[in-house]
Amino acid sequence: MLPWLPAHPVRFPPVESALDDPGGLLAAGGELSPAWLLSAYRHGIFPWYSEGQPLLWWSPDPRMVLFPDEVRVRRSLAKRLRNGGFTVTGDRAFEAVIHACAAPRDDEPGTWITDEMAAAYRRLHALGAAHSVEVWQGETLVGGLYGIALGPVFFGESMFSRAPDASKVALACLARTMAAEGGRLIDCQMHTAHLASLGARDIARETFIDYLDEWLDDMPEPRHDTELVFPPPAWSFERLDAARQMPPGATGGGRLEQ
């Protein structure tokens, strides 16, 4: 039976108790408050549900991750990074990025980024825990992504693209910057061919949790929204654009492939 979480206290069941079908479903209920969300990410859990469903929490096994120094930059993407007319920024347009990510896709009837979900991540952004990467052509926002940054880990939530390879540019610049400045892991949550093409791979959930326990060991358990303490990102979101011109492998930030 799926556990139903009360609003208080902030406490999740062990991730090992997640269901096999649907894979990774851990619990329902709780809240989308900052304390619940930060506790979730710290323990390898994330919210994912559709309009009309209860709040659902997931911890899939295996877990798709991207190690920043393993980002795969093919020659076509490297060319776009250098000569595509893009500019990459961080935290300049969080609201616009999350709005674009929430827009229905051509192959999907709706969106899982509900108004309630978007509002929750805006609160985390105001607190300094949620961040965005933006890709611009001139003054036009053409791609980007957003997620949660805790210490050396970035927990990716969603990305969008309105120009060829724009979302790949966002992820490649984030990975290269993280590799150069102490970032260790990008959580991609679930397997997609798009992310695999950039070097992301599946690891066991147990291994993923071990990484979090090692790198976020000093993060206090966030029990109340008035008692939130979390580590800032190990890298600077202000230097993302410099990663467009970074030679692959110069700082461990990816590898160039045909």
Side-chain angles (χ1 to χ4, degrees):
M1 180 178 295
L2 188 69
W4 185 272
L5 307 177
H8 302 287
V10 178
R11 184 177 298 128
F12 289 97
V15 295
E16 296 81 9
S17 66
L19 301 180
D20 293 328
D21 186 19
L25 181 57
L26 179 67
E31 293 184 337
L32 282 175
S33 68
W36 274 98
L37 286 168
L38 291 177
S39 179
Y41 287 104
R42 165 62 185 86
H43 295 288
I45 302 162
F46 59 87
W48 184 32
Y49 67 104
S50 300
E51 194 74 53
Q53 291 182 329
L55 174 54
L56 301 176
W57 300 94
W58 302 75
S59 185
D61 187 15
R63 190 82 166 218
M64 177 162 253
V65 302
L66 173 61
F67 294 94
D69 60 355
E70 293 183 1
V71 64
R72 183 181 298 139
V73 179
R74 300 187 186 279
R75 292 191 180 277
S76 60
L77 178 56
K79 183 177 180 179
R80 289 209 189 270
L81 283 164
R82 294 190 305 269
N83 306 317
F86 295 124
T87 301
V88 182
T89 60
D91 290 334
R92 177 175 158 185
F94 185 90
E95 181 76 26
V97 169
I98 200 168
H99 180 76
C101 288
R105 313 295 168 94
D106 292 340
D107 57 345
E108 298 176 3
T111 176
W112 59 269
I113 304 176
T114 64
D115 290 345
E116 182 185 24
M117 184 82 84
Y121 286 90
R122 285 196 295 268
R123 288 194 294 270
L124 286 179
H125 178 63
L127 291 169
H131 300 266
S132 59
V133 177
E134 304 92 20
V135 179
W136 308 83
Q137 283 184 325
E139 294 300 313
T140 302
L141 182 67
V142 296
L145 58 85
Y146 77 95
I148 308 299
L150 299 176
V153 184
F154 185 80
F155 301 86
E157 274 299 312
S158 187
M159 60 174 59
F160 79 99
S161 186
R162 294 173 178 162
D165 291 336
S167 62
K168 292 182 179 181
V169 168
L171 187 60
C173 286
L174 174 63
R176 286 178 164 188
T177 302
M178 289 177 64
E181 299 185 10
R184 306 294 292 272
L185 185 71
I186 298 173
D187 172 29
C188 303
Q189 297 182 348
M190 296 184 179
H191 187 98
T192 70
H194 176 74
L195 292 167
S197 72
L198 291 165
R201 55 187 171 94
D202 292 329
I203 63 173
R205 179 175 56 208
E206 182 179 5
T207 302
F208 177 69
I209 299 300
D210 286 345
Y211 284 134
L212 299 185
D213 288 344
E214 177 183 356
W215 296 330
L216 300 177
D217 178 60
D218 294 335
M219 179 177 167
E221 191 66 34
R223 295 301 187 190
H224 304 282
D225 288 346
T226 58
E227 302 175 356
L228 298 178
V229 179
F230 52 89
W235 64 95
S236 171
F237 280 89
E238 297 178 357
R239 292 193 283 271
L240 288 168
D241 196 58
R244 289 191 302 108
Q245 302 294 335
M246 188 180 295
T251 60
R255 57 190 186 274
L256 184 65
E257 294 191 1
Q258 296 289 345

